[in-house]
């Protein structure tokens, strides 16, 4: 394997009121079009979806929804998200959920930052190039 250095800083907001704090602090740093990635819809039942959408509208963001991310997300689901992000010119990804949603967002981010439409070609890092990696929250 070729020698390289990788860094992936992460800031995670937890607890009551954290969505408001996080989005107010982070949204203005990025472009207008956001991909809202989430799972099976529990965020719609517990009120988080409405809270996040209100904050996104307040920040004048265009929202592209990427829902239905399941536990142990599939290759096909990551590819679906990558196509959606490329088609709509997404500026950043907002992952609302747990580990599967976050991991899927990272996979989508990786695919759209490379010169390929196929995440499988990136396995083992052989196909990786310095690309445009959009941010995700």
């Amino acid at each position: 394997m070729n020698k390289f250095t990788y860094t992936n800083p992460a800031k995670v907001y937890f607890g009551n009121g954290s969505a408001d704090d996080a989005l107010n602090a982070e949204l203005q740093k990025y472009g207008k079009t956001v991909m809202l990635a989430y799972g099976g819809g529990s965020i719609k039942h517990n009120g988080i979806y409405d809270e996040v959408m209100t904050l996104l509208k307040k920040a004048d963001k265009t929202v592209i929804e990427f829902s239905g991310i399941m536990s142990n997300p599939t290759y096909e689901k990551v590819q679906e998200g990558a196509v959606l992000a490329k088609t709509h010119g997404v500026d950043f990804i907002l992952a609302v959920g747990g580990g599967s949603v976050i991991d899927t967002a990272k996979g989508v981010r990786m695919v759209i930052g490379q010169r390929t439409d196929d995440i499988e070609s990136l396995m083992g890092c052989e196909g990786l190039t310095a690309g445009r990696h959009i941010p995700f929250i």
Side-chain angles (χ1 to χ4, degrees):
M1 176 186 292
N2 293 332
K3 184 176 164 182
F4 67 94
T5 301
Y6 175 76
T7 182
N8 187 18
K11 184 188 300 185
V12 181
Y13 293 80
F14 288 100
N16 291 335
S18 61
D20 191 43
D21 293 344
L23 294 180
N24 285 325
E26 303 293 333
L27 284 179
Q28 298 310 317
K29 297 177 185 177
Y30 307 109
K32 182 159 177 69
T33 305
V34 56
M35 173 186 276
L36 176 61
Y38 59 95
S42 64
I43 68 168
K44 289 188 175 181
H45 301 296
N46 63 23
I48 293 173
Y49 177 85
D50 291 334
E51 181 182 359
V52 168
M53 289 300 287
T54 298
L55 292 167
L56 290 169
K57 287 178 186 174
K58 182 177 151 187
D60 195 33
K61 301 298 181 183
T62 299
V63 179
I64 307 301
E65 292 192 40
F66 177 40
S67 63
I69 299 170
M70 67 291 282
S71 296
N72 301 313
T74 63
Y75 165 84
E76 289 80 15
K77 195 65 178 176
V78 173
Q79 291 299 118
E80 176 188 332
V83 168
L84 190 63
K86 285 182 178 183
T87 300
H88 293 281
V90 168
D91 295 308
F92 69 100
I93 302 169
L94 175 58
V96 179
S100 293
V101 173
I102 293 169
D103 288 346
T104 301
K106 289 187 283 188
V108 168
R109 178 179 185 252
M110 178 177 279
V111 171
I112 64 176
Q114 298 299 310
R115 292 183 210 134
T116 181
D117 289 330
D118 185 3
I119 196 169
E120 193 169 43
S121 69
L122 304 175
M123 299 300 178
C125 299
E126 292 87 5
L128 289 177
T129 61
R132 175 185 171 259
H133 297 288
I134 65 170
F136 76 97
I137 300 172

